[in-house]
Amino acid sequence: MRIALVAHDNKKSNLLEWVRFNRETLNSNDLYATGTTGTLLESELGLDITKFLSGPLGGDQQIGAMISQGQLDFLVFFWDPLEPQPHDPDVKALLRMTVVWNVPVACNRSTADFMIASPLMSADYVRQIPSL
């Protein structure tokens, strides 16, 4: 699976804990992350992660481009609904892309736990994509 990991500043510790708990499962997948989050995960856990720009500098859009090109299987995005984000339109665009292209997205630990524990993680799954 090709999994993107993103977290706003106030949620990075939550994502780090989740990735640490699921390290073995995640390590057998292709991981992508926005710059700051990816650097944190690499340094703390030693995982091999393809890093993009920081979210506010275009990393969210780079992940959105992967989604629209069919290059991402799911997104774990621990975003902070209580903190205003200067790049909020980019965040909304990224979440919009997951819905348009029918890509599963987890915005909190509970949903991420359900997704990674799903039997579909180790099965061939063909998601429906919009008619072009």
Side-chain angles (χ1 to χ4, degrees):
M1 290 256 176
R2 299 160 299 181
I3 303 168
L5 305 165
V6 181
H8 285 152
D9 290 344
N10 290 341
K11 298 295 182 175
K12 288 191 190 320
S13 62
N14 298 100
L15 183 63
L16 182 60
E17 290 172 18
W18 183 81
V19 171
R20 185 178 288 122
F21 182 80
N22 292 290
R23 181 182 178 162
E24 188 174 316
T25 301
L26 290 168
N27 202 32
S28 62
N29 294 279
D30 295 328
L31 303 178
Y32 302 87
T34 49
T36 310
T37 301
T39 299
L40 174 69
L41 294 173
E42 272 186 338
S43 67
E44 293 281 331
L45 302 173
L47 293 172
D48 185 25
I49 298 175
T50 300
K51 294 185 299 294
F52 296 113
L53 297 171
S54 173
L57 298 177
D60 295 338
Q61 292 178 347
Q62 288 176 296
I63 291 175
M66 285 186 71
I67 291 169
S68 67
Q69 295 169 359
Q71 298 172 345
L72 195 68
D73 296 306
F74 77 81
L75 171 65
V76 176
F77 184 3
F78 287 8
W79 61 280
D80 188 351
L82 302 177
E83 187 71 28
Q85 301 295 325
H87 65 293
D88 195 55
D90 297 334
V91 171
K92 186 175 181 182
L94 177 57
L95 294 172
R96 178 182 172 279
M97 295 307 295
T98 62
V99 173
V100 168
W101 291 99
N102 198 27
V103 170
V105 59
C107 294
N108 59 45
R109 175 112 190 212
S110 297
T111 308
D113 287 341
F114 273 88
M115 283 175 45
I116 201 157
S118 169
L120 296 174
M121 276 292 296
S122 58
D124 288 332
Y125 178 77
V126 179
R127 64 187 160 82
Q128 296 177 345
I129 57 171
S131 312
L132 301 176

